[in-house]
Amino acid sequence: MNFKFMATCLFGLEHILGEEIDALGYKRIETIDGHVIFEGDISAIPRSNIWLRTAERVFILVGRYKAETFTDLFDGAYYLPWEEWIGKNDTFPVKGHSVKSRLYSIPDCQSIVKKAVVKRLSDKYGVSWFSETGTKYQIEFLILKDEAFLMIDTSGIALHKRGYRPQTTISPIRETLAAALAKLARPREDVLFWDPFCGSATIPIEASLIMTNTAPGIGRGFISEGFSNIGETAWKNAREEAKSLVKCDSSFEAYASDIDEDALKSARSAVSKAGMNAHIKVFKKNALEIETEGRRGTVVCNPPYGERLGTLSEAEELYKRMGAHFKTLGSWQIYVITSHERFERLYGRRADKVRKLYNGMIPCYYYQFFKKDIKK
């Protein structure tokens, strides 16, 4: 039996997420801003949570329907088969959000959906009161342009929280975005991968996870592990599959360097927790002093910018100096993410490709320099 699922992601990562879903063998149905709807069997729940690198969460899409009034919202929610997932003793809180829709009051929508689900389960189980002491099924709604999507969260803690990074880091980049940046930079076994502004080494870690085919969620738990419909066997099989596919003989090498000692301490801890010590070298070095060492290489970095660290003028001066120094790296490919729209002018070179992405809610640009810079 197949089910419909919705995976969420940061804006700009929909295409990459879709390709990941394809790679798992599931059928993509539709792509909406920040969401990819797909179809799969029950095993898709553990496999997609364990494997998807750029997804924020994976939901069971219980149903979707037009909802221009509260009556529409209630009736649509009532006619969905909640009893297929939620038992009469289970907990089922409701939360959600509304975008560009007539129904914009979140508390009112929460109340309506909750009442509809209670009514549905009451009619199905023949009870009038629910203790809600059992397994938690977090119901979420998205009302987008007057269309309601009602879902059950299967992830729990957001998927970008892999478990390897310290909880408190200075202006971190999400692991999911870091994975996308690494993928777009096309890491290779015989090419050095270097982040000279490494912070907690999130980008090199995600690149190493990709190159060793290590599933990002292999070491963490998920809320749906307690769902009765899935069972322990499906989770066990998914984890065994992930472990069996790890590429243990990868020769991939990454450098994670920074000038901040606290950042390097966090980086070393994160690399160790991620199990990537064999592939990532963490050390102190000024980004404006890196050298090719006679090797082929790719730089992927998230340098400080005004909104995040320091002042805007300091960031702009850094970009100018980066452009001047990175020229000395010859044919190395350079990938830089920043929120500064005039980065190319400051850097002194037009990017071969620019992609708009989001670091949380901050709009950013991923400047990609992959063609040889030939001056005429």
Side-chain angles (χ1 to χ4, degrees), residues 58-181:
V58 177
F59 296 93
I60 300 162
L61 180 57
V62 183
R64 59 190 291 188
Y65 54 91
K66 199 73 174 176
E68 297 180 342
T69 67
F70 286 127
T71 298
D72 293 338
L73 184 62
F74 181 94
D75 290 346
Y78 175 79
Y79 285 110
L80 294 178
W82 299 104
E83 69 280 359
E84 292 182 0
W85 297 96
I86 304 171
K88 64 180 179 181
N89 295 317
D90 293 332
T91 304
F92 49 100
V94 177
K95 62 181 180 181
H97 54 285
S98 177
V99 180
K100 299 178 181 177
S101 298
R102 299 181 193 184
L103 302 180
Y104 57 84
S105 171
I106 301 305
D108 287 338
C109 291
Q110 284 178 293
S111 177
I112 293 294
V113 172
K114 181 71 175 186
K115 288 177 180 177
V117 177
V118 168
K119 174 64 174 169
R120 171 79 183 198
L121 295 178
S122 178
D123 290 348
K124 291 295 179 179
Y125 293 129
V127 298
S128 58
W129 182 80
F130 295 91
S131 64
E132 296 200 47
T133 56
T135 301
K136 181 179 179 181
Y137 289 82
Q138 178 66 62
I139 297 173
E140 290 210 21
F141 63 84
L142 165 65
I143 306 176
L144 177 63
K145 297 179 181 178
D146 296 324
E147 183 176 16
F149 298 81
L150 268 63
M151 306 164 285
I152 295 174
D153 182 16
T154 71
S155 302
I157 297 172
L159 296 181
H160 72 264
K161 296 184 178 181
R162 321 285 206 214
Y164 62 72
R165 193 169 67 181
Q167 294 297 311
T168 54
T169 53
I170 300 174
S171 302
I173 189 170
R174 283 195 188 182
E175 293 89 328
T176 44
L177 178 56
L181 301 183

Side-chain angles (χ1 to χ4, degrees), residues 40-54:
D41 61 15
I42 200 70
S43 71
I45 294 176
R47 292 186 73 237
S48 59
N49 274 292
I50 289 171
W51 278 104
L52 294 179
R53 301 181 189 278
T54 57

Side-chain angles (χ1 to χ4, degrees), residues 242-261:
K243 290 176 182 178
S244 72
L245 293 174
V246 174
K247 187 178 179 181
C248 299
D249 60 348
S250 173
S251 61
F252 177 72
E253 184 179 10
Y255 283 178
S257 60
D258 208 299
I259 58 172
D260 185 271
E261 291 289 357

Side-chain angles (χ1 to χ4, degrees), residues 314-326:
E314 289 173 339
E316 291 180 341
E317 179 60 28
L318 172 63
Y319 298 155
K320 292 177 183 177
R321 297 178 67 188
M322 282 172 58
H325 180 69
F326 285 1

Side-chain angles (χ1 to χ4, degrees), residues 11-23:
F11 291 132
L13 302 187
E14 296 88 353
H15 181 69
I16 298 174
L17 174 56
E19 290 181 336
E20 291 185 68
I21 291 169
D22 294 343

